[in-house]
């Protein structure tokens, strides 16, 4: 119990630090914004503590199937930290911020080719956007998208090479998928495969769809202003992390479906062998 509680406390503190990081590190943040961010961080920390301190999960999927959630959190944390360092370097330049900005510029220019997600993000900006704003958005988009790609590649490697999720023991499908109801919707295997395909396809299309939708609705509603540092950080993070998270979830569901299919195949084969033995 002590180990579980201490782990839940540590996870809650890390989640609070993640949410509060831009408000804590960026200069000239209004006190009202800081108070709201701190309140949200404390609430997220409490919910994380309650979730991980309970015996069985209620919301978080793959809680007992490390390192799925750890990879996602690390990718999210690194993305927010690097984008915060870039935004902080605009007001208070440091060697670290300038180095990250240079790397982001190189990555953004490399990924900014026709019909790429980064190009669509740049085209989403208003026509009167300054060159400085376009450069910051391109760099932020390039860094966040690259980190998401690295996280997906690392998870695929953990599945293909290290045998996730059964490397360290048995995998309980119903505990690690608390929101999945096996009693509704037909065969479990078909539902898992369908959900896996949907998550992968939607996650692949989302980085292209979001800029197009924002650009199409800019005449009806006020477009997102990416000149504010915190808005830029969270917008670019969500734009890159949510699709990557959906693709990783789709890969995980596909892996679980293949495990169930293989278990069924072995059970059917064993039953057939028993029938043949009894007949003989």
């Amino acid at each position: 119990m002590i180990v579980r509680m201490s782990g839940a406390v540590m996870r809650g503190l890390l989640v609070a630090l993640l949410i509060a990081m831009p408000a804590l590190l960026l200069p000239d943040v209004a006190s009202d914004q800081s108070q709201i961010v701190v309140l949200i961080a404390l609430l997220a920390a409490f919910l994380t503590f309650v979730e991980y301190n309970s015996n069985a999960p209620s919301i978080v999927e793959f809680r007992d199937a490390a390192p799925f959630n750890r990879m996602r959190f690390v990718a999210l944390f690194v993305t927010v930290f690097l984008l915060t360092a870039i935004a902080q370097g605009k007001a208070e330049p440091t060697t670290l911020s300038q180095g990250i900005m240079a790397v982001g510029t190189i990555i953004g220019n490399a990924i900014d080719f026709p019909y790429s997600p980064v190009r669509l993000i740049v085209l989403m900006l208003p026509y009167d956007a300054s060159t400085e704003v376009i450069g910051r958005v391109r760099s932020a988009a390039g860094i966040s998208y690259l980190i998401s790609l690295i996280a997906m590649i690392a998870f695929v490697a953990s599945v293909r090479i290290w045998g996730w999720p059964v490397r360290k023991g048995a995998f309980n499908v119903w505990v690690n998928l608390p929101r999945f109801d096996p009693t509704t919707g037909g065969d479990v295997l078909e539902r898992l495969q369908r959900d896996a395909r949907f998550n992968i396809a939607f996650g692949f299309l989302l980085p292209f769809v979001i800029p197009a939708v924002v650009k199409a609705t800019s005449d009806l509603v006020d477009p997102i202003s990416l000149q504010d540092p915190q808005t830029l950080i969270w917008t670019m993070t969500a734009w890159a992390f949510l699709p990557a998270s959906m693709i990783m979830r789709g890969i995980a569901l596909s892996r679980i479906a293949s495990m169930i299919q293989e278990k069924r195949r072995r059970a059917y084969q064993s039953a057939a062998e028993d029938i043949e033995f009894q007949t003989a």
Side-chain angles (χ1 to χ4, degrees), residues 46-118:
F46 175 75
L47 293 177
T48 303
F49 170 79
V50 172
E51 176 69 20
Y52 278 90
N53 192 48
S54 61
N55 293 325
S58 58
I59 299 176
V60 178
E61 295 182 333
F62 304 106
R63 200 187 78 172
D64 298 330
F68 178 79
N69 289 323
R70 296 175 186 175
M71 286 184 176
R72 295 198 299 177
F73 180 81
V74 169
L76 185 61
F77 191 92
V78 172
T79 302
V80 174
F81 174 76
L82 294 180
L83 297 187
T84 302
I86 292 176
Q88 185 184 27
K90 178 186 175 183
E92 301 174 356
T94 61
T95 304
L96 177 62
S97 63
Q98 291 178 351
I100 297 174
M101 184 64 184
V103 174
T105 302
I106 296 173
I107 296 173
N109 291 332
I111 305 179
D112 185 14
F113 52 86
Y115 304 106
S116 69
V118 175

Side-chain angles (χ1 to χ4, degrees), residues 6 21 32 55 83 111 159 171:
S6 60
M21 188 189 307
D32 294 341
N55 293 325
L83 297 187
I111 305 179
V159 172
F171 177 81

Side-chain angles (χ1 to χ4, degrees), residues 30-245:
S31 59
D32 294 341
Q33 294 182 1
S34 299
Q35 293 174 6
I36 295 174
V37 170
V38 170
L39 179 61
I40 296 175
L42 292 176
L43 178 60
F46 175 75
L47 293 177
T48 303
F49 170 79
V50 172
E51 176 69 20
Y52 278 90
N53 192 48
S54 61
N55 293 325
S58 58
I59 299 176
V60 178
E61 295 182 333
F62 304 106
R63 200 187 78 172
D64 298 330
F68 178 79
N69 289 323
R70 296 175 186 175
M71 286 184 176
R72 295 198 299 177
F73 180 81
V74 169
L76 185 61
F77 191 92
V78 172
T79 302
V80 174
F81 174 76
L82 294 180
L83 297 187
T84 302
I86 292 176
Q88 185 184 27
K90 178 186 175 183
E92 301 174 356
T94 61
T95 304
L96 177 62
S97 63
Q98 291 178 351
I100 297 174
M101 184 64 184
V103 174
T105 302
I106 296 173
I107 296 173
N109 291 332
I111 305 179
D112 185 14
F113 52 86
Y115 304 106
S116 69
V118 175
R119 175 64 61 85
L120 295 178
I121 282 290
V122 174
L123 294 176
M124 183 187 72
L125 297 173
Y127 295 107
D128 57 350
S130 63
T131 305
E132 182 182 1
V133 172
I134 294 175
R136 289 206 309 269
V137 170
R138 183 186 290 113
S139 300
I143 287 180
S144 57
Y145 199 70
L146 178 64
I147 294 173
S148 298
L149 290 177
I150 293 174
M152 288 188 293
I153 293 173
F155 180 65
V156 171
S158 68
V159 172
R160 298 296 183 182
I161 300 176
W162 293 289
W164 182 91
V166 294
R167 183 186 179 188
K168 296 184 179 180
F171 177 81
N172 192 318
V173 176
W174 318 127
V175 171
N176 287 284
L177 293 175
R179 293 175 293 171
F180 184 82
D181 188 0
T183 61
T184 60
D187 185 63
V188 172
L189 181 60
E190 294 180 357
R191 290 175 56 198
L192 287 173
Q193 292 174 342
R194 182 177 66 249
D195 291 347
R197 289 191 294 266
F198 172 80
N199 278 269
I200 294 175
F202 195 68
F204 177 79
L205 294 176
L206 205 56
F208 302 90
V209 173
I210 292 176
V213 172
V214 172
K215 189 66 175 179
T217 58
S218 60
D219 296 334
L220 302 177
V221 297
D222 293 334
I224 299 175
S225 176
L226 298 181
Q227 295 182 0
D228 180 70
Q230 292 197 63
T231 304
L232 175 63
I233 291 170
W234 290 115
T235 301
M236 293 296 98
T237 301
W239 166 78
F241 175 76
L242 291 179
S245 181

